[in-house]
Amino acid sequence: MADDFGLFDTDTPAPATSQGEEGKTEETPELVYGSAEEFLHEQLLPTYVRSITGKSTKWCIEWYFHPEAVSRVAAMWRAWEHLRLDPATGMSVWWRDHADHHMRVLLDPQGPFYNCDMKEHRDPEHLEPKKAPAGWFPDVRVQDR
């Protein structure tokens, strides 16, 4: 089902090696979690415990049907994997800048789960865009050539 998310499919692992300053190959630290879903179940939700009332907070039991939620959980996972390596302030930065921010948005009653409740998923109504007039947003990839 993750293939259906296209740009929101962020579970693709990072490369295993990288080039250092002197051109030497450096090992990239191994990931603790293999996917955003594993991170959500094993790390995030067991530590981020909140009362979900349905009025002041919302959650969808089938969170993975919400592309914004998938993208935000994946962003939290990737940030956690990176910041866990900073023994001084990494986790503090992760909580302040990532978990608190994204969870506040995800749990907001007007957030991505606005139409759901704890027991039932309901497809969200997507914002309907209208295409801008031709030429308003030129493709910068073409201009850079």
Side-chain angles (χ1 to χ4, degrees):
M1 192 69 189
D3 292 341
D4 293 345
F5 292 125
L7 294 175
F8 301 103
D9 179 13
T10 54
D11 284 350
T12 305
T17 60
S18 61
Q19 290 287 74
E21 290 178 20
E22 299 171 10
K24 296 179 183 175
T25 301
E26 297 177 353
E27 294 269 336
T28 301
E30 191 171 324
L31 297 173
V32 173
Y33 300 104
S35 70
E37 180 182 33
E38 182 182 5
F39 169 77
L40 178 90
H41 287 279
E42 307 256 336
Q43 176 65 37
L44 183 61
L45 295 185
T47 58
Y48 198 93
V49 179
R50 296 293 186 273
S51 173
I52 306 300
T53 64
K55 292 184 181 191
S56 63
T57 50
K58 298 284 272 187
W59 180 256
C60 180
I61 196 163
E62 294 180 301
W63 64 276
Y64 41 82
F65 284 130
H66 299 266
E68 179 183 352
V70 171
S71 184
R72 287 181 181 279
V73 170
M76 285 189 281
W77 166 49
R78 290 297 184 176
W80 185 91
E81 290 283 2
H82 176 76
L83 289 168
R84 72 181 171 83
L85 301 172
D86 175 354
T89 60
M91 284 297 94
S92 180
V93 169
W94 180 79
W95 279 105
R96 183 195 67 211
D97 294 350
H98 302 279
D100 289 340
H101 170 74
H102 289 296
M103 291 304 288
R104 194 173 300 114
V105 172
L106 287 172
L107 296 176
D108 187 285
Q110 299 300 311
F113 306 132
Y114 74 92
N115 207 23
C116 299
D117 61 41
M118 285 292 294
K119 295 180 171 72
E120 184 179 4
H121 165 76
R122 293 181 191 93
D123 287 332
E125 296 175 22
H126 293 278
L127 300 174
E128 293 295 327
K130 185 175 180 181
K131 290 279 189 183
W136 280 31
F137 296 97
D139 187 336
V140 295
R141 297 170 296 186
V142 175
Q143 293 176 350
D144 291 342
R145 290 185 187 162

